[in-house]
Amino acid sequence: MSATFAELWNGIAPIGRVRNGGYLRYALEEPELVLRDWFRNQAARRDMAVTDDGNGNLFAWWGDQWGHDAVLTGSHFDSVPHGGGFDGPLGIVSAFLAVDELRRQGHVPSRPIAVVAFVEEEGGRFGVPCLGSRLLSGAIEPEKAAALTDRDGVTFGEALGGTPAGRLPGLTGRINALVELHIEQGRALDVPVGVASAIWPHGRWRFEFTGIGDHAGTTSMADRRDPMLTFAYTVLAANKEARLAGALATMARVEVEPNATNAIPSLVRAWLDARAAETGTLDGLVDAVMKRAHDRAGRDGTEVDVTPESFSAEVTFEESLAGRIAGLLGGAPVLPTGAGHDAGVLSAHVPTAMLFVRNPTGVSHSPAEHADEQDCVAGIGALARVLGDLT
Ligand code: GLV
Ligand code: MN
Ligand code: MN
């Protein structure tokens, strides 16, 4: 079977799309489960055997699934809530189409090629990003992953149907390279295809601001212990500290109890996403935000408790592989990114590389995320060339 980009892309475009044009594709929930069925179907049409690693990651094999020195390519189906449709699925669609292109050329791979769909890359449902690749590589314990809960209290273990398998050296040890194709998420790429050099270190910290819930109409301003004030100050402090450090800080998810118009809240729970080019800068930024939050809590009569939820260390993609790919693509630009990826997590265990497809506006994690069709087609051609070269 050989399909065009438009055929495959239009086939999945409606799945999980909501009214604002963005996507709700939470891992292991209905729209993402439909995409996983789509994956199995695409594999079957290409005579590729599908395996599940017991962590929720799917593999479609061209060649021996037990073979050595396999070359993996793919990405993830899940989206951030109301995110775009390209972040993740573009890498999987492009992977199947690159297989088609290689077969059209009569390429006979010297080692297995596998298309992979990693589970829960965004951490949009269970909170920890790149959960599937962390499990596979042993960066998180299976029991800890199994106990992670979504907003409705469903655990990852329940959604998966059991405790994940965890670290699989027998599988990662048989991978020669992973090449993830992804839409570029900034404004730095002005040609159709680029190559990743590095991923900034980044992480997520949960802040719980507690105070005293009370009546909005009867509690004097002087008597209040309002955690919303501490939270609001912390948001502004994070923004200021990030600007001073030349780093990035975002507080974009918040839960309020009781979340009533006429009640002073008793609790505000909010998440800090912080990133920087260097680990030292990131550590300094997070320390500074925590200190400002605690200082302010002292003045508001509130309390603040901070829990680190996930951390992704700085990644430098293997220079020889990135250089080889850039050369193969006629001197494609090599650029770093502040976005996290499964390829980053696995780079500690197997040689990994990433191809970026131009994003004309740079907007991502938003319904406005977009890549032009001709750039996507160029990305598929580039991926086919890379896979052909590696196999
Ligand atoms: C993943 O897309 C992230 O960088 O948050
Ligand atoms: Mn993303
Ligand atoms: Mn992604």
Side-chain angles (χ1 to χ4, degrees):
M1 175 219 170
S2 184
T4 64
F5 173 72
E7 278 164 5
L8 250 59
W9 195 251
N10 295 338
I12 65 164
I15 301 169
R17 189 166 56 201
V18 290
R19 280 231 308 258
N20 66 2
Y23 286 86
L24 289 177
R25 290 170 168 170
Y26 290 109
L28 304 174
E29 269 186 5
E30 170 91 19
E32 205 248 6
L33 292 174
V34 172
L35 289 166
R36 294 163 79 83
D37 285 344
W38 175 91
F39 181 97
R40 290 188 182 88
N41 190 271
Q42 292 299 319
R45 287 178 183 209
R46 292 170 175 80
D47 291 321
M48 298 170 79
V50 173
T51 57
D52 180 325
D53 68 355
N55 291 312
N57 305 313
L58 295 176
F59 300 75
W61 296 90
W62 178 12
D64 181 6
Q65 59 170 284
W66 302 110
H68 285 261
D69 286 336
V71 174
L72 260 54
T73 182
S75 193
H76 59 97
F77 283 127
D78 63 309
S79 70
V80 289
H82 300 282
F86 290 84
D87 177 353
L90 182 63
I92 299 174
V93 166
S94 300
F96 279 121
L97 291 171
V99 167
D100 291 353
E101 174 59 19
L102 286 171
R103 287 177 171 175
R104 199 187 58 73
Q105 293 169 6
H107 179 72
V108 180
S110 58
R111 55 186 79 185
I113 293 178
V115 177
V116 55
F118 292 108
V119 73
E120 181 72 340
E121 191 272 350
E122 300 288 4
R125 182 169 178 195
F126 296 102
V128 175
C130 298
L131 189 58
S133 53
R134 281 182 207 268
L135 278 162
L136 172 61
S137 61
I140 185 169
E141 289 305 317
E143 294 73 22
K144 186 173 173 196
L148 294 170
T149 53
D150 70 6
R151 287 169 170 86
D152 298 322
V154 177
T155 66
F156 179 67
E158 286 165 345
L160 189 67
T163 303
R167 187 171 161 263
L168 295 171
L171 177 55
T172 49
R174 289 190 290 109
I175 301 172
N176 176 271
L178 163 67
V179 183
E180 179 173 357
L181 177 146
H182 204 279
I183 186 170
E184 161 60 7
Q185 296 172 287
R187 295 176 177 81
L189 182 62
D190 57 5
V191 295
V193 180
V195 180
S197 59
I199 299 181
W200 284 19
H202 56 282
R204 299 178 179 187
W205 289 262
R206 187 178 72 242
F207 283 59
E208 298 209 339
F209 304 92
T210 45
I212 299 200
D214 211 333
H215 195 299
T218 59
T219 316
S220 76
M221 298 310 277
D223 283 349
R224 295 179 183 214
R225 293 181 170 202
D226 183 350
M228 187 66 85
L229 298 181
T230 323
F231 161 66
Y233 177 90
T234 304
V235 175
L236 297 175
N239 183 283
K240 183 168 181 179
E241 293 295 342
R243 286 169 186 270
L244 288 171
L248 301 169
T250 308
M251 295 189 85
R253 178 178 168 197
V254 57
E255 295 170 358
V256 181
E257 291 179 14
N259 206 17
T261 309
N262 54 352
I264 298 159
S266 55
L267 172 82
V268 178
R269 186 180 294 117
W271 282 259
L272 170 71
D273 175 309
R275 313 185 187 214
E278 278 112 30
T279 308
T281 310
L282 179 59
D283 291 346
L285 168 62
V286 175
D287 284 350
V289 176
M290 289 200 288
K291 180 172 182 331
R292 300 275 296 264
H294 281 108
D295 288 351
R296 176 74 196 203
R299 298 203 289 282
D300 290 334
T302 57
E303 284 181 14
V304 53
D305 189 46
V306 183
T307 308
E309 282 201 341
S310 68
F311 185 75
S312 301
E314 183 174 353
V315 170
T316 305
F317 288 109
E318 201 177 278
E319 273 175 42
S320 60
L321 186 57
R324 173 174 167 179
I325 291 173
L328 197 65
L329 302 180
V334 182
L335 60 159
T337 180
H341 298 287
D342 295 301
V345 171
L346 284 170
S347 69
H349 305 268
V350 295
T352 60
M354 292 191 73
L355 296 183
F356 289 138
V357 170
R358 172 164 58 187
N359 175 336
T361 62
V363 173
S364 188
H365 284 188
S366 147
E369 178 187 82
H370 178 74
D372 288 337
E373 183 174 338
Q374 62 268 33
D375 288 350
C376 295
V377 171
I380 293 158
L383 182 60
R385 233 170 304 150
V386 172
L387 297 177
D389 180 65
L390 292 175
T391 61

